[in-house]
């Protein structure tokens, strides 16, 4: 069904500024994305060795080696690549993750050819203190304008973490309508922070987003009813 989804989106929003990136774990995924006309893809690595093995069945170093040909072919096809780093604060198997590890992995993905690195608190254990320390280390290796943040709201800290990130110069924030999502390899993790909540925060801060919050709420209500999610 990926073909139908991507082709429908491409036809409906042809020429629009929106981007519809596809998550690709390997060369096969990239080939499928390119075949249906994707202009942007995303690769994902973990700052935790144990999580990397559970999620993509290889070590962190092995994952970087696997991504090299993916980045090379994407570049030859004119496809942009975004890099995701998961478990930037904590891991369900290893516990706390060293900020230095996150910084070095982010730098490696950038050097492979990613245009932006999204830092993901996959299990939502971060709070402003740990998030600030992590971002401080990462910014020693990667320019602030090449960073994005991705917070899950397991313990209700996502908005506080986003505010901390904004104060540190981060201007790209991942979110999910109605807070949908999660991770099958991170038991207990909630979905990504709700787009509606992020917009409410940004608009209160006077940030011009160009996004119609009532329409996002309407979309969130629709998908929540469809999925029978309260």
């Amino acid at each position: 069904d990926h073909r139908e989804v991507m082709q429908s989106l491409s036809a409906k929003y042809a020429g629009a500024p929106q981007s519809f990136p596809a998550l690709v774990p390997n060369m096969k995924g990239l080939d499928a994305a390119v075949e249906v006309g994707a202009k942007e893809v995303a690769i994902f690595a973990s700052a935790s060795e144990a999580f990397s093995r559970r999620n993509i069945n290889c070590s962190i170093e092995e994952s970087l080696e696997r991504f090299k040909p993916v980045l090379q072919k994407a570049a030859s096809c004119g496809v942009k690549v975004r890099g995701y780093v998961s478990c930037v604060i904590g891991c369900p198997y290893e516990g706390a993750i060293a900020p230095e590890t996150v910084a070095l992995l982010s730098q490696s993905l950038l050097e492979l050819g990613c245009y932006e690195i999204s830092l993901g608190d996959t299990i939502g254990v971060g709070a402003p203190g740990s998030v600030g320390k992590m971002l401080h280390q990462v910014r020693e290796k990667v320019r602030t304008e090449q960073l994005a943040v991705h917070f899950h709201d397991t313990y209700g800290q996502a908005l506080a973490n986003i505010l901390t990130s904004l104060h540190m110069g981060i201007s790209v924030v991942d979110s999910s309508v109605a807070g949908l999502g999660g991770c099958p390899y991170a038991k207990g993790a909630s979905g990504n922070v709700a787009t509606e909540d992020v917009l409410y925060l940004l608009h209160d801060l006077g940030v011009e987003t160009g996004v119609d919050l009532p329409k996002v709420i309407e979309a969130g209500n629709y998908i929540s009813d469809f999925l029978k999610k309260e």
Side-chain angles (χ1 to χ4, degrees), residues 205-217:
L205 292 171
V207 177
E208 179 56 54
T209 65
V211 180
D212 189 329
L213 177 55
K215 287 188 177 180
V216 175
I217 293 173

Side-chain angles (χ1 to χ4, degrees), residues 158-178:
L159 287 181
N161 292 335
I162 289 170
L163 186 58
T164 297
S165 303
L166 292 173
H167 285 160
M168 296 184 72
I170 308 295
S171 60
V172 180
V173 177
D174 296 346
S175 63
S176 172
V177 170

Side-chain angles (χ1 to χ4, degrees), residues 27 200 207:
M27 188 66 79
Y200 187 87
V207 177

Side-chain angles (χ1 to χ4, degrees), residues 110-128:
L110 204 65
E111 290 173 347
L112 282 179
C114 294
Y115 77 92
E116 183 176 79
I117 307 299
S118 179
L119 303 168
D121 181 14
T122 310
I123 58 175
V125 295

Side-chain angles (χ1 to χ4, degrees), residues 77-100:
C77 295
V79 175
K80 296 170 61 178
V81 182
R82 192 186 202 220
Y84 283 84
V85 178
S86 60
C87 296
V88 298
I89 301 294
C91 166
Y93 312 112
E94 292 185 17
I97 299 298
E100 295 83 0

Side-chain angles (χ1 to χ4, degrees), residues 15 40 46 60 65 70 72 78 85 101 103 105 112 121 124 126-127 143 151 164-165 187 203 214:
E40 181 176 338
S46 175
I60 296 173
E65 287 298 318
V70 174
Q72 291 168 354
V85 178
T101 301
L105 179 56
L112 282 179
D121 181 14
R143 297 202 313 272
F151 293 111
T164 297
S165 303
K187 186 177 181 180
H203 292 172

Side-chain angles (χ1 to χ4, degrees), residues 2-227:
H2 67 281
R3 182 188 303 274
E4 295 176 9
V5 171
M6 186 62 75
Q7 290 179 342
S8 296
L9 287 171
S10 298
K12 184 175 179 62
Y13 297 99
Q18 289 87 351
S19 176
F20 302 101
L23 197 61
V24 297
N26 48 38
M27 188 66 79
K28 182 179 180 180
L30 175 64
D31 288 340
V34 170
E35 183 182 351
V36 297
K39 301 302 182 185
E40 181 176 338
V41 298
I43 59 173
F44 49 93
S46 175
S48 158
E49 286 287 357
F51 193 86
S52 181
R53 292 187 181 281
R54 295 288 187 102
N55 197 14
I56 54 178
N57 198 33
C58 65
S59 69
I60 296 173
E61 191 60 37
E62 288 169 339
S63 73
L64 293 175
E65 287 298 318
R66 288 184 184 181
F67 292 143
K68 285 181 180 179
V70 174
L71 269 293
Q72 291 168 354
K73 182 167 183 178
S76 69
C77 295
V79 175
K80 296 170 61 178
V81 182
R82 192 186 202 220
Y84 283 84
V85 178
S86 60
C87 296
V88 298
I89 301 294
C91 166
Y93 312 112
E94 292 185 17
I97 299 298
E100 295 83 0
T101 301
V102 180
L104 290 172
L105 179 56
S106 299
Q107 181 183 38
S108 295
L109 288 172
L110 204 65
E111 290 173 347
L112 282 179
C114 294
Y115 77 92
E116 183 176 79
I117 307 299
S118 179
L119 303 168
D121 181 14
T122 310
I123 58 175
V125 295
S130 55
V131 167
K133 292 176 183 176
M134 180 271 296
L135 288 176
H136 176 75
Q137 286 292 328
V138 175
R139 292 195 307 169
E140 294 289 320
K141 302 290 185 182
V142 179
R143 297 202 313 272
T144 303
E145 60 267 27
Q146 293 178 296
L147 294 173
V149 289
H150 181 116
F151 293 111
H152 289 243
D153 206 25
T154 309
Y155 297 102
Q157 297 295 305
L159 287 181
N161 292 335
I162 289 170
L163 186 58
T164 297
S165 303
L166 292 173
H167 285 160
M168 296 184 72
I170 308 295
S171 60
V172 180
V173 177
D174 296 346
S175 63
S176 172
V177 170
L180 299 178
C183 178
Y185 299 98
K187 186 177 181 180
S190 69
N192 198 358
V193 62
T195 302
E196 298 91 322
D197 292 341
V198 175
L199 288 171
Y200 187 87
L201 170 67
L202 293 175
H203 292 172
D204 183 69
L205 292 171
V207 177
E208 179 56 54
T209 65
V211 180
D212 189 329
L213 177 55
K215 287 188 177 180
V216 175
I217 293 173
E218 183 180 340
N221 289 337
Y222 164 78
I223 193 62
S224 294
D225 288 344
F226 183 82
L227 297 174

